[in-house]
Amino acid sequence: MLYYNINNPVEKVSLFSAVMRSVSENTGLYMPETIPCFPESFFREMRDNELPGIAYQVTRPLMTPDIPDESIKLITSDALNFDIPLERLDENIYVLELFHGPTYAFKDVGARFLAGVLGYITQSLNRKITVLVATSGDTGGAVANAFAGKEGIKVVILYPSGRVSRVQEFQLKYAAPNITAIELEGDFDDCQRLVRTAFADRELNEKIILTSANSINFARLFPQSVYYFYALAQMENITSPVVISVPSGNFGNLTAGLIASKMGLPVSRFIASTNINNSVPLYLETGKFVPHPSYHTISNAMDVGNPGNFQRMLSLFGNDYSQIKKALAGYWFTDEQTIEAMHELYEKYSYIADPHSAVAYLGLKSYMAGAPSTGIFLATAHPGKFPEEVEKATGVKVTLPVSDSEPVWKSEHFKAPDDYNFLREFLSSTF
Ligand SMILES: *Cc1c(COP(=O)(O)O)cnc(C)c1O
């Protein structure tokens, strides 16, 4: 399987190159040349299969032959070693809970799979890799946890000082010695700017292999296709078309869903649900994509005004607006509506949702009001990660399943100025 650069489709690279580079020199994202469709029998047999088995079958076509089957099996069973249950709320509304991984965010799936693939690459090429990532919260924790102790890989995480939650900072500071958490004296945009500068720095990239752990990296995005299959495998007696609502920010999760449907997954419509960072729902309404600066909301992992994976979504439909409209509906919501939805979920179904998942519920409800369907919304974070918002909406005090027990390992951690030269110096010395 080869991967092409969206900004220059004649440029094709191997799986290893696409994963190690994350983006091309002209900042184009990589996509697989073809997406194979599964035969009918796959969907019948899927029901008798467990999550790791489905994960192996779904990811294999895009990983083979670069990674041998035995290793794909190990990578997938290690990445998806926690359950992803589908809960039924009423006759035709389901919630797919993606937050039962080690850091209670759906980003565990992608981060763990990427760590497995990069671990395989470092071993087979006998090269060392530096992973660089900027985080406003959940990405950093999932990446630190997934890469903790991985041989031949160092991870450098930039986060804005004073802007991440206590739990999130804890996950960054107590991972492992191969993880460096840099607390930047700046905001998230400053972190992102420094990371982009580092990826564009030719001299640095000749010295070390610098890889991104954001969803611009195909190996972080693609494993998320797996749970869309697993959701349908858990359903019985589907009597109306299935629609899936995805709470979206950078649109990696939704792109993975669209890839699953190219592979033949019988979903009639995907729903792009966002907060007021609504460039994609507005695109679906008007046909014009107008990125905007990010606005702060209570579903802060979705505060993205210029989603990086939008180009990938377009490429899946050959840039054809009418095709995209057929596959996707879009809705956006305010913080007040989000709190109200959390309240409603609790009153109606005794279900406690975090703000991101509540946005997905709202999108599903809006869609189903006009089209009778069987609906699934994705729950992307454990409600215990957002205790204040949950208490405000429901009156219930929630906590995470385990308290902060004595950490075994510590990351390297320090404060740094918003200064590229400093970061460059540090990255040059990682290996
Ligand atoms: C990252 C994140 C999202 C958005 O996912 P994208 O793939 O960037 O669209 C939604 N919810 C939570 C809890 C997240 O951490």
Side-chain angles (χ1 to χ4, degrees):
M1 176 65 68
L2 287 177
Y3 288 76
Y4 72 93
N5 168 1
I6 293 179
N7 287 355
N8 178 27
V10 294
E11 180 197 329
K12 288 176 186 156
V13 300
S14 68
L15 171 70
F16 285 13
S17 298
V19 175
M20 283 193 295
R21 288 187 203 168
S22 339
V23 287
S24 73
E25 270 182 18
N26 69 0
T27 69
L29 303 184
Y30 291 108
M31 281 295 268
E33 217 177 5
T34 53
I35 296 174
C37 194
F38 289 112
E40 199 68 42
S41 59
F42 169 80
F43 295 95
R44 280 196 305 274
E45 287 155 18
M46 184 172 81
R47 299 185 170 280
D48 305 321
N49 216 332
E50 303 283 326
L51 177 57
I54 293 177
Y56 167 67
Q57 285 180 305
V58 169
T59 54
R60 184 180 177 279
L62 297 190
M63 300 289 136
T64 194
D66 308 63
I67 304 182
D69 288 354
E70 279 317 302
S71 301
I72 300 175
K73 261 184 203 150
L74 281 176
I75 292 167
T76 45
S77 59
D78 194 39
L80 289 143
N81 66 349
F82 49 88
D83 196 20
I84 300 185
L86 184 75
E87 305 287 342
R88 191 171 198 169
L89 296 190
D90 74 12
E91 206 177 322
N92 47 15
I93 294 185
Y94 295 79
V95 51
L96 184 69
E97 293 186 343
L98 302 173
F99 54 73
H100 297 283
T103 73
Y104 310 107
F106 88 100
K107 291 189 171 73
D108 283 324
V109 174
R112 293 173 70 77
F113 185 86
L114 176 64
V117 171
L118 282 176
Y120 179 82
I121 294 177
T122 53
Q123 277 183 6
S124 68
L125 300 184
N126 197 21
R127 299 285 302 271
K128 296 194 187 314
I129 293 179
T130 303
V131 173
L132 176 63
V133 69
T135 185
S136 57
D138 277 355
T139 301
V143 168
N145 184 284
F147 284 85
K150 282 263 171 208
E151 249 175 73
I153 304 181
K154 288 203 174 153
V155 178
V156 179
I157 301 169
L158 260 63
Y159 72 98
S161 183
R163 309 280 180 97
V164 304
S165 75
R166 202 181 59 81
V167 175
Q168 287 167 335
E169 188 161 35
F170 186 89
Q171 289 173 344
L172 293 173
K173 283 188 177 173
Y174 296 95
N178 68 322
I179 313 293
T180 303
I182 301 182
E183 183 177 345
L184 197 84
E185 287 156 359
D187 60 20
F188 177 56
D189 290 334
D190 298 324
C191 296
Q192 276 196 309
R193 197 189 63 248
L194 291 189
V195 165
R196 272 198 297 270
T197 310
F199 279 108
D201 183 338
R202 274 200 183 200
E203 217 176 289
L204 176 69
N205 284 270
E206 273 160 20
K207 249 176 150 170
I208 60 169
I209 301 179
L210 199 59
T211 301
S212 167
N214 284 113
S215 61
I216 55 167
N217 194 318
F218 190 74
R220 198 190 111 195
L221 176 154
F222 173 53
Q224 298 169 356
S225 300
V226 168
Y227 46 68
Y228 291 94
F229 289 90
Y230 187 56
L232 266 70
Q234 293 178 73
M235 287 177 115
E236 316 221 344
N237 303 326
I238 305 168
T239 51
S240 53
V242 175
V243 298
I244 302 183
S245 173
V246 185
S248 295
N250 213 27
F251 282 82
N253 205 3
L254 185 54
T255 303
L258 296 172
I259 290 174
S261 81
K262 289 261 162 184
M263 293 177 137
L265 187 77
V267 167
S268 76
R269 211 79 184 276
F270 281 91
I271 301 159
S273 301
T274 73
N275 56 34
I276 55 169
N277 293 279
N278 56 5
S279 51
V280 172
L282 289 187
Y283 164 78
L284 291 166
E285 215 174 277
T286 62
K288 289 198 192 71
F289 182 66
V290 187
H292 58 74
S294 307
Y295 307 125
H296 182 71
T297 74
I298 56 168
S299 47
N300 61 354
M302 312 200 305
D303 294 348
V304 185
N306 187 9
N309 287 299
F310 181 66
Q311 294 302 329
R312 275 198 170 113
M313 292 163 63
L314 291 185
S315 79
L316 279 169
F317 297 98
N319 289 299
D320 182 338
Y321 179 62
S322 64
Q323 291 294 320
I324 295 173
K325 287 274 287 181
K326 258 188 227 154
L328 258 188
Y331 303 94
W332 61 275
F333 304 94
T334 62
D335 281 352
E336 291 70 42
Q337 290 172 302
T338 306
I339 291 282
E340 246 170 63
M342 291 163 74
H343 179 76
E344 178 177 311
L345 278 163
Y346 186 60
E347 288 293 307
K348 247 174 135 168
Y349 309 115
S350 307
Y351 190 78
I352 299 181
D354 93 287
H356 304 78
S357 314
V359 168
Y361 168 69
L362 282 170
L364 184 65
K365 246 187 34 163
S366 299
Y367 181 83
M368 286 174 66
S373 341
T374 301
I376 301 173
F377 67 96
L378 303 191
T380 46
H382 191 289
K385 283 194 128 174
F386 300 88
E388 288 96 39
E389 288 79 9
V390 169
E391 190 173 355
K392 185 174 166 196
T394 66
V396 179
K397 282 190 178 11
V398 280
T399 50
L400 287 172
V402 285
S403 61
D404 307 345
S405 53
E406 265 309 299
V408 186
W409 278 350
K410 256 189 159 172
S411 317
E412 186 180 6
H413 169 261
F414 53 83
K415 268 198 178 184
D418 177 9
D419 170 19
Y420 180 62
N421 287 327
F422 180 88
L423 179 66
R424 181 174 210 280
E425 193 83 349
F426 182 75
L427 289 172
S428 308
S429 70
T430 46
F431 281 115

